[in-house]
Amino acid sequence: MDLQALLPLLVGGLMFAAVALVFMVFGRKGDGRASERLDVLVGRNVRKDSSADMLLKQALQENDKNTLLDRITPEMFNLTRMFEQADVNIKPSALFGISLGLGVAGAVLCIWGVNIYVAPIGAVLCFSLPWLWVYMARAGRLKKFASQLPDAMELVARALRAGHSLAAGMHVVAEEMPAPISKEFGRVYEEQNLGIALETALKGMCDRVPNLDLRFFVTSVAIQRQTGGDLAEILDRIGHVIRERFKILGQVKALTGEGRLSGIVLIALPIGLFLMMMVMKPDYIELLWKDPLGVKMSIGAVILMLVGAFAIKKIVDIKV
């Protein structure tokens, strides 16, 4: 059979696989949120993962560490920790295989729809889509954890004033608050029940959740357990500081909104113009990768765009 006759079948199969993957990943997300809200309204326990489930998931991730993917990635880029922070139910090696499949599909689509010179760009873009999904899931989960932390601090402080221990206060957070903070505090509670020192369990939570305010909480607990003091008052102060920081961050985002929007437009404009020219007049723009001077200009343009994006980010990203 001719290769041109097989090409549409191959492209159709790859697109069907991509659509099925997107449906499996995002299809039941809304149902899960609806059931979670219903559980909160009827007073059921929102936290679904028990200590056995968490230990089983950790064991599965440990078995996936010594794979080829972990050997070729640098030590500073811990895929297992990144997937744990994103709380996605997929192994890094499986996602890497999905990324390879999407990369091949993107290259085939570019060869079929445009030309062979654009195939590397399409392959890289499609390959990065699953990793972008993991990055966005991680960022969203960490942001939600940070927004829940002041309420958790106040809840633990009220539990301490009521006469409960710190571990019991963390158990109250795990039972009463929604994920992801309930899952992390519940894991600390289960670990200290299994015999792990509370300070060690809290440091493990800091490793899983890179949040500066959480480190303040862990440091305060460690100091209080060594020197004594009113931990409830300390936690109230930490919660108040976090809430004030969120207020200042909101004001900073409002004041730097114009700069952030300008950066987005300046970065997206050359890319959009390039794609438009690829569709409207590809013979005019193919000099950028066929002519030696065009290749140098393309490399220089990409470098200058990256430098400009970094400069704009440093200007509008104000630390509070």
Side-chain angles (χ1 to χ4, degrees):
M1 187 179 292
D2 192 6
L3 181 60
Q4 292 183 354
L6 287 175
L7 189 59
L9 296 176
L10 179 61
V11 173
L14 291 174
M15 291 300 298
F16 178 78
V19 172
L21 173 65
V22 172
F23 177 77
M24 287 189 297
V25 172
F26 298 102
R28 299 186 178 181
K29 192 172 183 180
D31 295 339
R33 289 179 177 176
S35 62
E36 184 178 349
R37 289 195 294 267
L38 288 174
D39 288 338
V40 173
L41 289 175
V42 300
R44 295 177 185 170
N45 187 6
V46 178
R47 191 170 64 92
K48 301 292 190 303
D49 292 337
S50 63
S51 59
D53 296 331
M54 290 186 291
L55 292 176
L56 179 59
K57 184 184 294 186
Q58 186 177 4
L60 291 175
Q61 291 175 346
E62 291 290 335
N63 292 331
D64 196 48
K65 280 185 177 180
N66 297 322
T67 60
L68 178 62
L69 180 61
D70 290 319
R71 293 174 185 174
I72 64 177
T73 52
E75 189 68 25
M76 59 183 297
F77 186 64
N78 194 335
L79 288 178
T80 305
R81 180 60 52 80
M82 179 180 177
F83 277 60
E84 188 177 9
Q85 291 172 354
D87 195 22
V88 291
N89 295 320
I90 187 172
K91 298 196 297 183
S93 58
L95 192 70
F96 185 74
I98 294 173
S99 300
L100 286 178
L102 290 178
V104 174
V108 171
L109 286 176
C110 289
I111 294 173
W112 182 42
V114 189
N115 53 47
I116 195 172
Y117 299 104
V118 192
I121 300 177
V124 171
L125 290 177
C126 292
F127 180 85
S128 61
L129 287 179
W131 303 98
L132 180 63
W133 167 68
V134 173
Y135 176 79
M136 293 177 63
R138 175 183 179 271
R141 186 171 184 267
L142 294 179
K143 183 178 180 180
K144 188 175 181 181
F145 183 94
S147 64
Q148 293 173 339
L149 193 57
D151 296 331
M153 297 293 100
E154 295 177 356
L155 190 57
V156 174
R158 288 197 294 268
L160 291 175
R161 289 193 178 95
H164 298 286
S165 63
L166 178 61
M170 300 184 71
H171 182 61
V172 172
V173 174
E175 293 293 330
E176 298 296 333
M177 294 193 66
I181 199 166
S182 62
K183 184 175 181 179
E184 295 296 336
F185 275 69
R187 181 169 177 174
V188 173
Y189 176 75
E190 298 291 347
E191 286 178 351
Q192 63 91 27
N193 275 345
L194 293 174
I196 301 175
L198 183 59
E199 290 84 356
T200 305
L202 289 173
K203 288 180 180 178
M205 183 170 61
C206 285
D207 294 335
R208 294 190 302 271
V209 184
N211 186 283
L212 183 61
D213 299 319
L214 182 63
R215 292 190 179 275
F216 289 157
F217 165 67
V218 174
T219 304
S220 302
V221 171
I223 294 174
Q224 191 272 341
R225 290 175 70 88
Q226 293 179 4
T227 62
D230 190 359
L231 183 59
E233 182 67 24
I234 296 174
L235 295 181
D236 282 336
R237 290 180 180 273
I238 293 176
H240 177 71
V241 169
I242 297 174
R243 292 185 187 278
E244 292 298 321
R245 183 180 298 173
F246 279 143
K247 291 181 181 180
I248 298 175
L249 282 175
Q251 296 176 358
V252 169
K253 286 184 178 181
L255 294 175
T256 59
E258 182 181 357
R260 287 187 282 111
L261 183 59
S262 300
I264 294 173
V265 172
L266 291 175
I267 297 301
L269 185 62
I271 300 175
L273 182 61
F274 175 80
L275 296 176
M276 184 183 69
M277 293 300 296
M278 284 295 302
V279 176
M280 297 180 61
K281 199 170 180 60
D283 56 340
Y284 177 79
I285 203 162
E286 65 184 7
L287 294 174
L288 291 176
W289 58 80
K290 286 187 175 181
D291 189 84
L293 181 60
V295 173
K296 295 178 182 179
M297 292 175 62
S298 301
I299 296 174
V302 171
I303 294 175
L304 290 176
M305 283 179 60
L306 294 176
V307 173
F310 179 76
I312 293 174
K313 180 175 176 58
K314 297 298 287 185
I315 292 173
V316 300
D317 190 11
I318 300 175
K319 301 295 183 181
V320 179

